[in-house]
Amino acid sequence: MELVFISFVSLAGSYLILRNICLSTARKEQTPMMITIAGMVSWLFILFAAAWILLAFYLVFALLALGNLGAMYGLVFIALCAGFAFQFNEVLDAGAVLYYLRDAALFRPMRPKTMLVQEELDKQKIRAIHREISGTPFPTTQPQKQLLTEKEIRQIHRELHIHGQRPNRSDRFDEELKNLKSGAVTSIADPWKVYTFSHKFHDWYAEMSHVEIDPATRTLRFQLNVPDASAIALRDRLYVFRLKQELYQLLQVLNTDPWLAWYNDFVNRFLITIYGVESDSFGHTQLFPFMKIDTPRSSLSEREGMFFNAADLHKISTITFDNGRPLPDEAQ
């Protein structure tokens, strides 16, 4: 009887391992190591199954020829196990495992052929509805297109990379250059806004507006809206210090931006009018100018890549600041 239990445990264990491998192949590709392991487990199962059958014949011989009544218990146990396996073969996935066993024993990487019945029925229903409504057969899939060559793939990647790059300059540069040479104040606000949709070197690029160049004074001037700059926040010294830090970083980024390098012959200083946000007595949001910064580019170039204390911004710039109250001539 001990031999019967040992053979049963070996047979059941090898089957469960093989079943687990079989089900896992439906979710992922088999590696060479997995194919080898599946083949070895398959042969163990085959050997244990053969031993189980031979043991059944031996017990029959021992019962009938040798008169060993103890062999009857082993035969009953074998019969019960075989009955349960036949009764619950769907639960044990016997069909899929035995199909997989044929290929795994030959060390071939094949998946069990399974079919989702409900999915196939839905497909058949869709075909029938299409035929009934349109009167034509359901369209079949077209032949696969020829695969792209490596040269075509590289060309596609190159085109995508070119479209993803930032533009070299404004698309109106020739017109802008003509106006600047004539001495007229030239607005570059529209190209700048288009440029900042997908390319910006500083978070406040998107807050810049009314960007224009005055060739007479060689000044790039613009309006900067700071969303969190309220009258209350501007009375906080720490907030003002951090505001100056961001302003200095913005000025340095603008000074080295390749987009603006095309206008270097007409710009040698930056003039920023900074606006904050406040609510009026009716709860409407209003912008108010509270600071103006006039900075020569030479001062920025001298300090490029060097540590700079934002508290010393007034040493390289002319700053007009009125503690959050609108300045008389800032809105012009």
Side-chain angles (χ1 to χ4, degrees):
M1 193 65 183
E2 292 181 1
L3 185 62
V4 174
F5 281 113
I6 293 173
S7 61
F8 170 75
V9 171
S10 302
L11 180 64
S14 60
Y15 178 83
L16 292 177
I17 296 174
L18 184 63
R19 176 178 177 271
N20 184 56
I21 296 174
C22 172
L23 296 179
S24 67
T25 57
R27 298 187 298 269
K28 60 182 180 181
E29 294 293 335
Q30 285 183 286
T31 62
M33 180 176 293
M34 184 61 70
I35 295 172
T36 303
I37 294 174
M40 296 173 61
V41 174
S42 299
W43 279 106
L44 285 176
F45 174 75
I46 293 172
L47 292 176
F48 288 135
W52 183 264
I53 296 173
L54 292 177
L55 180 61
F57 281 112
Y58 171 76
L59 291 176
V60 172
F61 173 77
L63 177 64
L64 298 179
L66 303 179
N68 185 0
L69 297 179
M72 184 180 299
Y73 298 105
L75 289 173
V76 172
F77 180 77
I78 293 175
L80 289 175
C81 291
F84 280 117
F86 180 78
Q87 183 68 25
F88 300 104
N89 65 89
E90 294 185 0
V91 177
L92 297 174
D93 300 305
V97 174
L98 293 179
Y99 177 85
Y100 178 75
L101 177 66
R102 294 182 301 174
D103 300 308
L106 298 176
F107 297 91
R108 291 192 302 187
M110 294 188 64
R111 293 183 175 183
K113 292 184 178 179
T114 57
M115 181 181 67
L116 300 177
V117 178
Q118 187 60 44
E119 183 177 332
E120 294 299 325
L121 291 176
D122 291 340
K123 291 179 181 178
Q124 186 66 25
K125 187 182 299 183
I126 291 172
R127 294 189 184 96
I129 293 174
H130 181 275
R131 187 184 302 107
E132 182 178 349
I133 294 176
S134 63
T136 58
F138 191 79
T140 57
T141 57
Q142 299 294 329
Q144 290 186 348
K145 295 182 179 179
Q146 188 175 2
L147 297 178
L148 298 176
T149 62
E150 290 188 10
K151 183 178 179 180
E152 292 173 332
I153 294 174
R154 285 196 299 269
Q155 179 64 25
I156 292 174
H157 288 172
R158 191 180 303 110
E159 292 176 358
L160 291 175
H161 179 68
I162 291 173
H163 289 302
Q165 289 179 331
R166 63 189 299 238
N168 293 326
R169 64 180 186 179
S170 168
D171 57 355
R172 300 180 183 176
F173 179 74
D174 294 334
E175 177 185 349
E176 294 165 353
L177 184 61
K178 182 179 179 180
N179 292 335
L180 290 171
K181 288 182 177 180
S182 67
V185 176
T186 303
S187 173
I188 60 171
D190 290 342
W192 180 265
K193 280 297 181 183
V194 173
Y195 156 71
T196 55
F197 280 151
S198 55
H199 305 92
K200 57 183 179 180
F201 290 162
H202 193 280
D203 291 340
W204 280 355
Y205 269 28
E207 303 298 334
M208 295 170 55
S209 59
H210 298 85
V211 186
E212 58 185 17
I213 299 175
D214 185 354
T217 58
R218 295 173 61 84
T219 302
L220 172 68
R221 59 195 185 200
F222 58 90
Q223 174 180 318
L224 177 65
N225 299 329
V226 182
D228 59 347
S230 62
I232 297 176
L234 292 170
R235 288 193 287 268
D236 185 352
R237 292 185 178 180
L238 180 58
Y239 175 83
V240 174
F241 176 78
R242 291 175 177 170
L243 176 65
K244 289 181 178 180
Q245 281 184 318
E246 289 295 330
L247 288 172
Y248 177 74
Q249 293 175 6
L250 175 63
L251 288 168
Q252 281 290 11
V253 170
L254 289 173
N255 190 44
T256 57
D257 193 327
W259 175 280
L260 297 177
W262 293 91
Y263 309 98
N264 282 348
D265 294 338
F266 305 94
V267 177
N268 60 13
R269 62 191 317 105
F270 298 117
L271 179 61
I272 313 175
T273 303
I274 307 173
Y275 284 71
V277 180
E278 65 178 0
S279 299
D280 59 16
S281 57
F282 297 99
H284 299 153
T285 300
Q286 291 184 339
L287 296 177
F288 65 95
F290 67 89
M291 181 185 290
K292 180 180 286 187
I293 298 181
D294 187 354
T295 307
R297 296 186 66 178
S298 58
S299 299
L300 296 170
S301 300
E302 291 172 0
R303 291 163 178 79
E304 183 179 348
M306 300 171 58
F307 172 77
F308 181 79
N309 187 354
D312 297 332
L313 185 60
H314 62 280
K315 295 182 180 180
I316 64 172
S317 307
T318 301
I319 300 179
T320 308
F321 182 70
D322 195 19
N323 198 25
R325 294 188 297 274
L327 300 174
D329 57 344
E330 293 288 337
Q332 298 180 0

